[in-house]
Amino acid sequence: MRLYPQSMTRLIEELGKMPGIGQKTAERLANYILRLPAEDAMALAQAIQDLKKSVRNCSICFNITETDPCHICQDANRDRTVVCVVEQPADVITIEKTGQYNGLYHVLLGHISPLESIDPEDLTMEKLLSRVKDGTVKEVIIATNLNMEGDATALYISKQLEGYEKKVTRLARGMPSGGQLEYASVAVIADSLQGRRII
Amino acid sequence: MRLYPQSMTRLIEELGKMPGIGQKTAERLANYILRLPAEDAMALAQAIQDLKKSVRNCSICFNITETDPCHICQDANRDRTVVCVVEQPADVITIEKTGQYNGLYHVLLGHISPLESIDPEDLTMEKLLSRVKDGTVKEVIIATNLNMEGDATALYISKQLEGYEKKVTRLARGMPSGGQLEYASVAVIADSLQGRRII
């Protein structure tokens, strides 16, 4: 049964590849685009093309940027003695939004994962290590995800920096603020107990 | 605080205009597009452009199509004595998916709504009426939405066809299959009682 015109089917397919977009949502979005005035639809298509053309990775921290170095690496007000290591550019945004951090970043563009055959060489690890081994950097905050791959990556980095007189820290593990013990998993409560702090 | 490169901000804005896509989802989708290989991102942009270029409305039923008349209007196996009237092209797909209907369609491209100042002249109403007043059509199934605007539109159509010896029907109102009385609204139960059928 052929339901949609061919070009509609193709757009639904393309939209459906996006994360969290199922068949139903893809159809809804395609119908929305169909009803858009032509110039608005073209603006959306253009925005996608422009993004891929003008955004690259910063040659220092590998965050996404339109200028090289990126505006964070260029910012004279940033504390150059601290580097926060994250997996993806999106993680930089998340941390920036807290307004709690004024150091520099390093984006690994992934995590170490033997299962997915992702080795340190597939990441920007070499650049990170040569960057932080430099005298300026005093602390490396490892803000990779709090899962198996993120932990493996954190462990690898801390091993590589052994003997370099750098403070290597990891994000705190515990109960999320606003959380209730009743609904927390055993692992989270165990982490939270282990990391308890004097008040 | 400038978080994203400019072209990223623009794409997030464009994506965020889509229905059901909030700021968070728009950011997630933009990040996904950013990580796509260039050719996949271009394929998505191209699919949007192609859709707007190659899809038009059928000159008979106003459903979306790449050929004119559309494949349903052209189909010799369709029952030409029944016309099902819907608001949007997406509604045709929904009815086609049931596999229960083998007649023709007419897409109004909207509904009558005094509040939104949408009059019958803003829809494909004139074309519908001249189409169904023709001798071939025996039944007009009004499948506009079951809300105030859809009902007003249905009423208008049935008034216009008074005295034309056509059967004018409306989709059944009642409890959705699988529904529980406990959670149904009074209006739905009232409809369901009123439309009760002998078993």
Side-chain angles (χ1 to χ4, degrees), chain B residues 53-110:
Chain B
K53 275 184 207 137
S54 60
V55 170
R56 74 203 74 185
N57 294 100
C58 172
S59 58
I60 300 173
C61 75
F62 295 91
N63 190 13
I64 52 168
T65 179
E66 280 167 344
T67 60
D68 193 12
C70 72
H71 74 284
I72 295 178
C73 286
Q74 274 182 25
D75 188 342
N77 294 318
R78 289 273 177 166
D79 180 355
R80 290 174 183 275
T81 66
V82 197
V83 171
C84 177
V85 181
V86 296
E87 296 185 20
Q88 296 295 348
D91 301 328
V92 172
I93 306 291
T94 308
I95 295 175
E96 284 294 286
K97 279 182 181 166
T98 66
Q100 299 286 309
Y101 182 68
N102 194 39
L104 301 179
Y105 289 95
H106 191 90
V107 182
L108 291 173
L109 298 176

Side-chain angles (χ1 to χ4, degrees), chain A residues 7 19 28 34 36 52 66, chain B residues 7 19 28 34 36 52 66:
Chain A
S7 57
R28 196 162 42 81
L34 190 67
L36 275 184
K52 296 304 285 191
E66 281 167 343
Chain B
S7 56
R28 196 162 43 81
L34 189 68
L36 276 184
K52 296 304 284 190
E66 280 167 344

Side-chain angles (χ1 to χ4, degrees), chain A residues 1 4 6-7 15 34 47 57 84 94-95 105 107 118 137 139 142 144 153 169-170 173 175 182-183 185 197:
Chain A
M1 187 167 55
Y4 289 108
Q6 206 187 338
S7 57
L15 292 170
L34 190 67
N57 293 100
C84 178
T94 308
I95 295 175
Y105 289 95
V107 182
I118 306 173
V137 178
E139 179 175 0
I142 308 182
T144 51
T153 309
T169 58
R170 184 85 173 97
R173 299 180 113 87
M175 288 283 297
E182 188 178 352
Y183 303 115
S185 76
R197 296 171 61 172

Side-chain angles (χ1 to χ4, degrees), chain B residues 118-134:
Chain B
I118 305 173
D119 301 318
E121 299 79 60
D122 300 319
L123 310 174
T124 65
M125 188 66 83
E126 197 58 49
K127 296 263 190 174
L128 166 69
L129 296 175
S130 64
R131 220 183 131 190
V132 301
K133 281 173 183 173
D134 167 282

